[in-house]
Amino acid sequence: MNARRLTLACLLALASAPAWSTDTPAPLQVEWDARLRHEQVDNDAFSRDARADTLCLRLGLRAQFGGGWSGYLEGAGVAAANEHYNSGANGNTEYPAITDPHGTELNQAYVAWQGQAFGATVGRQRLLFDNQRWVGNVGWRQHEQTHDAVALQWQPAAAWTVRYAWLDRVHRVAGRDALAPLARERKLDTHLLNAAFHAGLQQWSGYAYVHEDRDLATASSATYGVRWTGKPAADGFGWTLETARQFDYANNPDHFVHGYWLVEPAWTQAGITGKLGWERLGGNGRHALQTPLATLHAFDGWDDQFTVTPAGGLEDRYVAFNGVFGQHGTAARLGWTVVFHDFRADHGGRYGSEWDGSLGYAFTPALAGLLKAAHYHADGFGRHDTKLWLQLEWKGAQALR
């Protein structure tokens, strides 16, 4: 308890210090992200509840070499105050899983060049495409998902952005000490192509994600899709529409064609946004559409029941509201979210339902606190599960002069 209080006090004190900021990039800059989290899980399949108190620190050094060239080097470390959970690396299978093992790793290391219309990044890096439904960094977990990759970006006109990335390897959130080798990292030969067009507050994206997993043949797939989003300038109607098709690819021994679609109308009024969503991931009872490179925690409920799509597929029908408690002062810093999910099989019966909720408070621009909870009620899939998180995160940057 004393160590946790000391860590919290240090974060609060350091976050109050002014961070260096300027429009001109510094030749050398230190960047950090420190995150202290308590997570607990009560799952009916286990006689014991899981509790994890972890501290993650990502520390990076960014260098500007001139002529558009830059480099970035970032290490990450996770410390755990206890082992009362199954981290995937500690072997404590009598507890529910919390995939935040302690340990250190090289998180990012790359060289980049940026010209007026073209840019390239080579090395271990964070990759985020669109809303991260297909490709993301799984930023919620203490260990981040990164890729050994070559990433290119071209902006032929102000309204167009074309991105391409070739992935050689993915480093997963279970960390390099995970007991299951495939949970640590995977060898890939993956090509990602995304073209986006902006017009005012609307955006159209078309993508082709051709993914070969050289370590797990059944994970290889080719996905082609389009996405259309729009949002109001202030209050009013917004929307997200997306559709895709996924095929078996490369060395995958299965043969399938699965569909995906998302319909999400939204309305914003007086700082509060409400959404109705219907997302479908196709399945045929033997296998289903998968998103192995996605930021999965952001989709289909925070309880993470569906990080692997069941063989019968998944339909997630949800209603969500979020906003702040006021427009000025303390109330404007206090944000909230409430979500209800109804989960059903694409072919079959009902899986269950889930309530999610969170309260977030920005103490300073650099320091934020979060209280977050999820409750999954099983009705044919999994077991009843409740999760609670309490978190404090501090981000910043400082020039070295």
Side-chain angles (χ1 to χ4, degrees), residues 3 26 61 69 81 201 221 235 246-247 256 283 303 310:
L61 184 63
W69 289 94
L201 296 174
S221 63
D235 293 343
Q246 186 175 90
F247 305 84
F256 57 84
D303 198 68

Side-chain angles (χ1 to χ4, degrees), residues 371-389:
L371 173 64
K372 180 173 170 177
H375 174 69
Y376 174 75
H377 181 85
D379 186 13
F381 182 89
R383 301 290 293 273
H384 299 331
D385 192 63
T386 301
K387 295 183 179 180
L388 176 69
W389 299 272

Side-chain angles (χ1 to χ4, degrees), residues 141-211:
R141 297 264 51 107
Q142 298 286 51
H143 286 286
E144 186 178 21
Q145 178 170 279
T146 58
H147 297 86
D148 295 342
V150 177
L152 310 177
Q153 181 169 305
W154 178 44
Q155 193 168 10
W160 282 93
T161 301
V162 180
R163 298 179 63 191
Y164 166 79
W166 173 72
L167 314 184
D168 176 66
R169 194 179 298 262
V170 57
H171 303 273
R172 308 183 71 202
V173 298
R176 60 190 181 92
D177 297 323
L179 297 180
L182 292 181
R184 303 171 195 161
E185 61 181 42
R186 303 274 185 88
K187 296 178 182 177
L188 310 177
D189 185 8
T190 296
H191 302 267
L192 309 176
L193 179 63
N194 183 295
F197 174 76
H198 304 261
L201 296 174
Q202 298 185 47
Q203 177 175 309
W204 293 262
S205 300
Y207 52 83
Y209 302 143
V210 182
H211 172 62

Side-chain angles (χ1 to χ4, degrees), residues 9-75:
C10 290
L11 285 172
L12 287 167
L14 289 169
S16 64
W20 178 85
S21 176
T22 181
D23 292 335
T24 303
L28 201 60
Q29 179 170 294
V30 175
E31 301 175 4
W32 61 87
D33 183 347
R35 184 161 61 189
L36 180 67
R37 177 188 290 164
H38 170 77
E39 179 172 350
Q40 61 187 59
V41 181
D42 178 4
N43 187 297
D44 280 2
F46 296 85
S47 60
R48 296 184 177 184
D49 295 349
R51 285 177 168 79
D53 296 291
T54 57
L55 175 64
C56 173
L57 175 61
R58 298 175 190 158
L59 188 62
L61 184 63
R62 189 177 303 276
Q64 302 289 339
F65 304 121
W69 289 94
S70 64
Y72 188 63
L73 182 67
E74 181 184 65

Side-chain angles (χ1 to χ4, degrees), residues 4 38 50-54 79-85 90 92 102:
R4 287 161 58 190
H38 170 77
R51 285 177 168 79
D53 296 291
T54 57
N82 59 63
E83 295 284 352
H84 300 155
Y85 65 103
N90 59 16
N92 292 342
H102 61 77

Side-chain angles (χ1 to χ4, degrees), residues 207-263:
Y207 52 83
Y209 302 143
V210 182
H211 172 62
E212 179 179 353
D213 189 321
R214 293 184 169 180
D215 288 325
L216 185 64
T218 54
S220 297
S221 63
T223 305
Y224 308 92
V226 292
R227 176 180 172 85
W228 178 29
T229 62
K231 59 182 180 180
D235 293 343
F237 180 67
W239 66 89
T240 299
L241 299 172
E242 185 172 356
T243 184
R245 300 282 278 180
Q246 186 175 90
F247 305 84
D248 58 278
Y249 175 72
N251 53 346
N252 196 325
D254 298 322
H255 299 286
F256 57 84
V257 179
H258 295 308
Y260 170 88
W261 49 257
L262 170 67
V263 178

